[in-house]
Amino acid sequence: MITVTLLSFLPYKLNLICNFIKGKQREPIEEGGFEMKKRWSFMAMIRPLFVVLLVTAMACLVLLSSNPQSAPPARASSQTETDGYYKHDGVSNQSTTSRSEDMLLGSLLSPDLDEHSCMSRYQSGLYRKTSPHNPSTYLVSKLRNYEALHKRCGPNTLLYNKSVEQLRTNHSTDQLECNYVIWTPLGGLGNRMLTLASTFLYALLTGRVLLVDHATDFVDLFCEPFPGSSWVLPSNFPIESLNSFDVDSKMSYGYLMKHNLISEDPKTWSEMLPSFVYVHLESTYIWDMYHQLFFCDDSHFVLSKINWLLLKSDNYFLPGLFMLSTFENELSRMFPSRETVFHHLSRYLFQPGNSVWELAMKYYHSYVAMANQTVGIQIRDFPWSLMSKEDRFNQIMDCTLKENILPHVTQHSRKTTYLNTDEMGSKAILVISLYKDYYDRMKSYYARSTHVGQHVNVYQPSHEEAQQLKNQSHNEKALAEIVLLSFSDVLVTSAWSTFGYVSYNFAGVKPWILLSSKVSKEVHPPCRRVTTMDPCFHTPPSINCKTKRRSKTKLTGAHIKQCEDVEEGIKLVD
Ligand SMILES: *[C@@H]1O[C@H](CO)[C@@H](O)[C@H](O)[C@H]1NC(C)=O
Ligand SMILES: *[C@@H]1O[C@H](CO)[C@@H](O)[C@H](O)[C@H]1NC(C)=O
Ligand SMILES: *[C@@H]1O[C@H](CO)[C@@H](O)[C@H](O)[C@H]1NC(C)=O
Ligand SMILES: *[C@@H]1O[C@H](CO)[C@@H](O)[C@H](O)[C@H]1NC(C)=O
Ligand SMILES: *[C@@H]1O[C@H](CO)[C@@H](O)[C@H](O)[C@H]1NC(C)=O
């Protein structure tokens, strides 16, 4: 056990050593790209070191573990915001136990997973800031119970086969031990991660098993999250073309309710209900009151009797679950702090697969790691925006200079103001955008020296020029960029952007959001700091569950507020 922990930790240590050596001989690299040729070979460098270190470390470990008196020292990561990344010297002082707890994100992750198949699981805790938010013990126990359920009911188990068999009878039964919710992908990577986490929470609340209908561009992006099983729906699943279910589907819950084909009557037996129902939560659900019934309590008595649910959404519908009294008690035990629901769920579910992790690590260590502070700026351009790229860049500079996120430059030549560069520390600006334009502008802005003589480097890992929805390599780069952003100390993200929501929740950082306007070229203020981290539910329901009619009043609730970036959206607050 201890050896395993150590082994997983070693590559990181070696990174540090390599960086240390590398740092002495390296000039700041200006251009950056995932595809850039490496100037040195990381693997060639560490191979001989690895053997030596392994032996040394084993020896250290025997010494350490035989000394029960050595009290676990305080956490290494008690840094201030400007203090930069995970500090190297602090690490060596932690006991293996507390270190392995860090790696499991305060017990959020199961200790039973194989770490070699998923490097990020054990390493990301070392690069991201330690979360100041601990998962509740109740959430942790729910997750462990869920993992056991998933293992019992996972694909190709006896119980799974039995449930699949039930599909052929066209009706549900209460005889089954395993009931399922199948998630189907829709929209870009950010949307998918938000809906998958929402669906997973629904599974946790309803005792269902989550299976994922893998689109071809989604394979291997993430590690399998549940030990000893898979979350991928087997390809021989009897219902075909799951992604073709839509707003008009006759098997949708809305359609069945509208046409009185099923009843909310609590006396309804399982046998009177179909074996399979489709829940339509794509943004278009808002136009049909019957689809919106999903956000009314009565529906969940009926739905709980149906063996299989298929769910499709492009919306972070999770806050809607908090509006149901059915789940209120469970949710408040699982999440005493509502502002960190997605923060915990995303860190639990989404461990980037090895190829994405390697892509991110390579870039990070080649360019970003040496800076004292990293500022991540994520810029999403929406087609409806009236702003030109120049307007947008001006908005970014307005925001970051005003909020003291980035330093001013001097009008004089480079020679003038050199105060104490070391004391100021250096800054890396990570520009994440589909376009090269913003990077070019930022770089030419910081070609001048800064007022205070601080060193600023600008990086952009990729610029794909257009979003592609069905391209694995494109998605891998996008996820690697989310990972890189999540290592930032300070984040500036874009209004409306699900990619941004995911990045700052991974990071556990409250960002400044660059506001957008659909009616104006100018935005005042240029940005706003979010008050809570949880993402925005862009299209919340507008239904009065008592009258089953459209409700004109805005959703209110003690724990719900309007989003900073989307007027009609809602988010969770404490
Ligand atoms: C490491 O721990 C030892 C004893 O626990 C302490 O004396 C030393 O100052 C610590 N070093 C750092 C860098 O915190
Ligand atoms: C479940 O069914 C699949 C084929 O559909 C089969 O390969 C597998 O062995 C079955 N599992 C059990 C435990 O019988
Ligand atoms: C289930 O429904 C399908 C399509 O509606 C039908 O073809 C099939 O015969 C039904 N099976 C049973 C067992 O009723
Ligand atoms: C910035 O990092 C360098 C090298 O890691 C270090 O020598 C310096 O003290 C750091 N400066 C600040 C302000 O943290
Ligand atoms: C997928 O995206 C990559 C860049 O990320 C691009 O090089 C490749 O041509 C794309 N493939 C297709 C089929 O569009």
Side-chain angles (χ1 to χ4, degrees):
M1 172 65 200
I2 289 171
T3 325
V4 165
T5 312
L6 180 75
L7 276 176
S8 68
F9 189 65
L10 264 177
Y12 173 66
K13 281 257 156 204
L14 289 163
N15 276 351
L16 299 184
I17 292 162
C18 293
N19 273 323
F20 180 75
I21 299 164
K22 186 163 61 94
K24 301 272 179 231
Q25 54 192 356
R26 219 182 43 147
E27 292 293 301
I29 304 165
E30 307 275 280
E31 284 294 330
F34 280 138
E35 285 87 5
M36 259 201 65
K37 280 227 171 80
K38 301 294 305 294
R39 299 190 176 189
W40 55 286
S41 163
F42 175 70
M43 282 319 287
M45 203 157 171
I46 65 166
R47 245 178 249 119
L49 262 172
F50 193 93
V51 180
V52 177
L53 242 112
L54 183 62
V55 175
T56 324
M58 295 284 248
C60 298
L61 204 87
V62 171
L63 282 175
L64 268 177
S65 54
S66 63
N67 179 6
Q69 307 298 14
S70 56
R75 302 193 53 83
S77 32
S78 55
Q79 316 148 20
T80 64
E81 272 219 328
T82 51
D83 209 8
Y85 283 100
Y86 191 77
K87 284 296 176 279
H88 307 169
D89 37 356
V91 176
S92 57
N93 238 11
Q94 286 193 324
S95 77
T96 22
T97 338
S98 78
R99 194 179 296 147
S100 88
E101 269 166 18
D102 287 352
M103 286 190 263
L104 297 175
L105 308 177
S107 308
L108 195 63
L109 303 181
S110 162
D112 300 339
L113 284 146
D114 164 31
E115 47 215 280
H116 300 292
S117 63
C118 185
M119 299 182 309
S120 68
R121 186 179 340 260
Y122 288 84
Q123 292 176 19
S124 50
L126 304 166
Y127 291 85
R128 291 193 297 227
K129 280 178 186 300
T130 305
S131 173
H133 313 283
N134 283 323
S136 69
T137 49
Y138 189 64
L139 175 61
V140 170
S141 76
K142 283 288 267 194
L143 292 172
R144 294 299 89 82
N145 290 341
Y146 176 82
E147 286 158 6
L149 174 76
H150 196 106
K151 201 167 172 181
R152 264 200 327 279
C153 304
N156 295 325
T157 58
L158 201 60
L159 290 169
Y160 169 84
N161 286 0
K162 218 170 140 193
S163 293
V164 165
E165 212 39 55
Q166 185 65 28
L167 282 171
R168 303 189 208 283
T169 66
N170 290 356
H171 66 80
S172 281
T173 171
D174 52 15
Q175 308 294 313
L176 292 178
E177 201 176 324
C178 304
N179 297 299
Y180 299 81
V181 56
I182 304 172
W183 171 90
T184 55
L186 181 66
L189 182 62
N191 298 65
R192 292 177 185 201
M193 292 168 82
L194 295 174
T195 60
L196 189 44
S198 304
T199 309
F200 177 59
L201 181 58
Y202 184 68
L204 282 181
L205 290 168
T206 54
R208 288 178 185 274
V209 176
L210 169 73
L211 294 179
V212 170
D213 176 23
H214 256 13
T216 49
D217 56 343
F218 210 58
V219 182
D220 296 336
L221 222 44
F222 302 104
C223 304
E224 288 279 358
F226 312 124
S229 189
S230 171
W231 64 347
V232 181
L233 184 73
S235 55
N236 64 356
F237 186 68
I239 301 171
E240 282 168 20
S241 22
L242 291 175
N243 223 359
S244 65
F245 285 84
D246 219 332
V247 62
D248 302 320
S249 294
K250 297 209 163 44
M251 285 311 289
S252 71
Y253 181 65
Y255 185 94
L256 293 168
M257 287 300 291
K258 191 176 195 164
H259 295 88
N260 290 315
L261 295 166
I262 56 177
S263 156
E264 279 177 346
D265 187 336
K267 289 196 270 314
T268 309
W269 314 333
S270 298
E271 278 72 12
M272 295 157 75
L273 296 165
S275 52
F276 178 79
V277 160
Y278 165 64
V279 177
H280 182 78
L281 295 180
E282 187 184 347
S283 302
T284 52
Y285 89 102
I286 198 72
W287 302 115
D288 188 336
M289 211 268 305
Y290 290 94
H291 289 307
Q292 293 197 41
L293 286 175
F294 181 79
F295 294 104
C296 294
D297 283 295
D298 288 347
S299 294
H300 294 277
F301 294 113
V302 196
L303 289 171
S304 70
K305 294 177 189 158
I306 297 170
N307 299 138
W308 290 84
L309 294 184
L310 168 64
L311 195 150
K312 185 163 78 172
S313 176
D314 52 1
N315 238 293
Y316 181 61
F317 65 85
L318 184 150
L321 302 175
F322 281 77
M323 287 155 38
L324 294 158
S325 54
T326 315
F327 304 132
E328 203 178 319
N329 190 28
E330 277 294 284
L331 284 173
S332 65
R333 291 181 69 195
M334 284 158 77
F335 300 103
S337 162
R338 287 166 192 80
E339 299 178 358
T340 53
V341 178
F342 185 71
H343 172 65
H344 290 312
L345 290 181
S346 63
R347 283 185 168 205
Y348 172 77
L349 273 184
F350 304 119
Q351 311 297 331
N354 285 352
S355 60
V356 172
W357 185 248
E358 274 167 10
L359 204 59
M361 282 295 102
K362 208 160 101 182
Y363 193 84
Y364 176 74
H365 285 293
S366 305
Y367 304 110
V368 192
M370 305 313 286
N372 295 83
Q373 195 201 29
T374 307
V375 177
I377 304 184
Q378 179 253 345
I379 311 150
R380 178 80 163 99
D381 297 274
F382 289 97
W384 44 258
S385 174
L386 303 175
M387 291 173 119
S388 66
K389 294 218 164 31
E390 187 175 359
D391 296 335
R392 194 86 162 120
F393 182 72
N394 291 338
Q395 180 195 13
I396 294 164
M397 294 319 291
D398 266 4
C399 166
T400 50
L401 297 177
K402 192 173 122 227
E403 303 290 348
N404 285 320
I405 297 166
L406 296 181
H408 289 268
V409 292
T410 153
Q411 295 309 311
H412 313 291
S413 72
R414 274 237 176 229
K415 281 193 201 97
T416 45
T417 37
Y418 275 107
L419 296 178
N420 198 335
T421 311
D422 271 351
E423 245 170 56
M424 292 304 304
S426 63
K427 243 186 228 283
I429 306 175
L430 194 60
V431 177
I432 302 294
S433 161
L434 287 171
Y435 309 105
K436 191 158 173 290
D437 190 278
Y438 301 111
Y439 163 80
D440 289 339
R441 288 175 197 269
M442 187 67 80
K443 210 158 127 19
S444 74
Y445 186 89
Y446 283 106
R448 291 172 186 280
S449 61
T450 58
H451 254 309
V452 284
Q454 188 177 29
H455 226 76
V456 176
N457 286 310
V458 184
Y459 304 106
Q460 179 176 34
S462 81
H463 45 91
E464 298 273 285
E465 303 302 328
Q467 187 176 17
Q468 302 171 29
L469 291 179
K470 301 227 156 110
N471 183 324
Q472 171 94 14
S473 135
H474 178 83
N475 280 343
E476 281 186 0
K477 283 185 197 165
L479 184 57
E481 292 184 347
I482 289 178
V483 170
L484 287 168
L485 278 174
S486 77
F487 300 159
S488 300
D489 301 285
V490 181
L491 278 169
V492 179
T493 63
S494 294
W496 286 90
S497 172
T498 54
F499 191 100
Y501 299 161
V502 174
S503 306
Y504 65 72
N505 272 276
F506 258 20
V509 163
K510 286 181 188 167
W512 279 265
I513 291 201
L514 296 164
L515 299 174
S516 283
S517 166
K518 284 184 174 173
V519 293
S520 163
K521 279 173 62 168
E522 283 180 27
V523 190
H524 296 293
C527 60
R528 189 177 289 160
R529 191 158 200 192
V530 300
T531 48
T532 75
M533 251 189 320
D534 215 57
C536 180
F537 182 8
H538 289 176
T539 322
S542 59
I543 182 171
N544 179 329
C545 289
K546 288 210 182 71
T547 60
K548 303 243 156 54
R549 280 172 195 281
R550 197 170 287 280
S551 155
K552 290 224 177 66
T553 55
K554 280 224 178 324
L555 282 168
T556 47
H559 302 298
I560 281 174
K561 67 168 242 183
Q562 189 183 39
C563 305
E564 288 88 359
D565 59 331
V566 178
E567 200 188 336
E568 48 284 34
I570 56 164
K571 63 191 292 190
L572 296 173
V573 289
D574 282 336

